[in-house]
Amino acid sequence: MITLSHYLIVAAILFAIGLVGILRRKNLLMLFFATEMLLNAVNIGFAAVSKFYGDLTGQLFAFFIIAIAASEVAVGLGLLIIWYKRRGSIDLDTLQTMHG
Amino acid sequence: MFEAIAFYLFAALTIVMFSITVMTKNALYAMSALAAGMIFISGFFFLLDADFLGVVQIVVYTGAVMALYAFGMMFFDSTRDIKEKNPSKKVVFLLSGMTAVLLVIIVVAPIISQKVTPLYPMLENVGNAEAIGIVLFTKYLVPFEVAAVMLLVAMIAGIILASKQMDESLTLIEDEEIEKKAVQ
């Protein structure tokens, strides 16, 4: 029998993988992919809680998270393209322009 | 029984796909693995009786977001392997795991500690999409409209950012020239 904790454990594992990606990768495109993973892991958690407590609010919040992710991609990719046009690379280390 | 088989299958496939995305050096492989993982996550949603969310996951995430990434990767050199220097892997893995567990505890602790009563309960003989529509257009109408405006603003911002000075290559000239051109 699959219970709520099964789903929450899977969501936690996926979230951990996404966090590893965010901390490990230096490529900005990979960082965006890792962000999408985090959002998806949270969505699984929301949907699972929504089912096992018989409440629709979790599904609605997952729906809004998907809308936010879509708009984040639109703006983020535009910024990435501008950065790549200027610097010729999307490495995170090239972003360090303000050394103080 | 079948639910358990499906759950473990989707869990294993999703974890493998996302691990490939995090670990691979090739941006194209990472994007393909991420798209596959998104499809398998929609399987979770169908298992959880969230049919509408599963369909939205396929249509919006795998259809729109990944297509947008594929389009954006045309601007980048995606076939070249990514060179990265990573100082210490063990610390990164440890910190990620601990943070994830901590976040789950923070979210789950209030649910376990007190009795949760559904605010908008799932009704019998009402389909999932219909139920979501009823709640969305009665209780969450203002957030829905705000999300619509946000998507419009993001779309316009994306078009303006990506199409800025499209007629010239910005990598071949210096920053000062770009700023000079912007002033003119």
Side-chain angles (χ1 to χ4, degrees), chain A residues 14-80:
Chain A
L14 293 180
F15 198 88
I17 293 174
L19 274 176
V20 168
I22 285 212
L23 293 175
R24 194 171 159 268
R25 304 315 295 255
K26 289 289 174 59
N27 189 301
L28 276 173
L29 201 60
M30 296 296 178
L31 252 130
F32 271 60
F33 289 166
T35 316
E36 301 291 331
M37 277 187 226
L38 296 187
L39 293 171
N40 268 291
V42 170
N43 272 354
I44 292 177
F46 270 131
V49 171
S50 161
K51 171 170 181 186
F52 287 98
Y53 284 94
D55 192 355
L56 278 173
T57 318
Q59 292 185 26
L60 284 163
F61 268 86
F63 176 69
F64 285 126
I65 286 177
I66 290 177
I68 287 170
S71 54
E72 170 244 330
V73 169
V75 177
L77 261 182
L79 289 171
L80 268 192

Side-chain angles (χ1 to χ4, degrees), chain A residues 6 15 24-27 29 32 36 40 53-57 59-60 69 71 77 82 84-85 93, chain B residues 22 24 38 57 61 68-69 75 84-86 103 111 119-122 128 132 135 140 161 170-171:
Chain A
H6 283 74
F15 198 88
R24 194 171 159 268
R25 304 315 295 255
K26 289 289 174 59
N27 189 301
L29 201 60
F32 271 60
E36 301 291 331
N40 268 291
Y53 284 94
D55 192 355
L56 278 173
T57 318
Q59 292 185 26
L60 284 163
S71 54
L77 261 182
I82 281 199
Y84 187 77
K85 276 183 182 171
D93 293 334
Chain B
V22 170
T24 185
M38 302 274 190
Q57 174 86 10
Y61 253 123
L68 204 59
Y69 273 128
F75 288 92
E84 288 166 335
K85 51 174 194 296
N86 300 305
L103 279 169
I111 300 175
L119 194 58
Y120 306 116
M122 289 179 189
N128 179 256
I132 282 193
V135 178
Y140 284 90
L161 283 175
L170 295 182
T171 51

Side-chain angles (χ1 to χ4, degrees), chain A residues 78-98:
Chain A
L79 289 171
L80 268 192
I81 288 170
I82 281 199
W83 191 256
Y84 187 77
K85 276 183 182 171
R86 276 183 174 239
R87 293 296 156 106
S89 93
I90 43 173
D91 203 321
L92 194 60
D93 293 334
T94 61
L95 275 171
Q96 294 174 345
T97 53
M98 290 192 289

Side-chain angles (χ1 to χ4, degrees), chain B residues 103-122:
Chain B
L103 279 169
V104 170
I105 289 171
I106 290 170
V107 171
V108 171
I111 300 175
I112 293 174
S113 63
Q114 58 189 339
K115 193 116 179 73
V116 176
T117 51
L119 194 58
Y120 306 116
M122 289 179 189

Side-chain angles (χ1 to χ4, degrees), chain B:
Chain B
M1 181 61 195
F2 284 114
E3 194 199 352
I5 294 171
F7 173 78
Y8 286 116
L9 186 70
F10 281 129
L13 282 171
T14 318
I15 289 169
V16 168
M17 284 301 162
F18 278 5
S19 306
I20 291 174
T21 308
V22 170
M23 296 302 165
T24 185
K25 281 199 171 75
N26 194 321
L28 205 58
Y29 291 169
M31 199 204 69
S32 310
L34 186 65
M38 302 274 190
I39 294 271
F40 295 137
I41 279 181
S42 79
F44 279 122
F45 290 149
F46 288 121
L47 275 179
L48 286 166
D49 295 333
D51 302 342
F52 181 72
L53 216 54
V55 171
V56 166
Q57 174 86 10
I58 292 180
V59 171
V60 173
Y61 253 123
T62 347
V65 171
M66 297 320 288
L68 204 59
Y69 273 128
F71 180 71
M73 275 171 64
M74 291 181 205
F75 288 92
F76 311 124
D77 192 0
S78 56
T79 51
R80 189 177 54 188
D81 275 2
I82 303 151
K83 287 194 199 69
E84 288 166 335
K85 51 174 194 296
N86 300 305
S88 66
K89 276 185 188 167
K90 266 184 195 165
V91 177
V92 165
F93 279 96
L94 198 70
L95 278 177
S96 313
M98 277 170 55
T99 317
V101 170
L102 201 67
L103 279 169
V104 170
I105 289 171
I106 290 170
V107 171
V108 171
I111 300 175
I112 293 174
S113 63
Q114 58 189 339
K115 193 116 179 73
V116 176
T117 51
L119 194 58
Y120 306 116
M122 289 179 189
L123 304 169
E124 298 294 322
N125 64 46
V126 176
N128 179 256
E130 193 181 352
I132 282 193
I134 291 168
V135 178
L136 189 62
F137 291 125
T138 52
K139 307 291 181 189
Y140 284 90
L141 187 60
V142 174
F144 181 70
E145 300 282 351
V146 171
V149 172
M150 183 186 66
L151 278 170
L152 178 69
V153 171
M155 186 185 76
I156 295 171
I159 292 170
I160 289 174
L161 283 175
S163 69
K164 213 173 188 180
Q165 297 164 334
M166 204 70 148
D167 49 341
E168 61 195 55
S169 166
L170 295 182
T171 51
L172 298 178
I173 51 178
E174 295 299 317
D175 280 358
E176 292 81 23
E177 292 181 46
I178 294 169
E179 274 151 25
K180 231 180 278 172
K181 283 209 171 89
V183 169
Q184 282 169 10

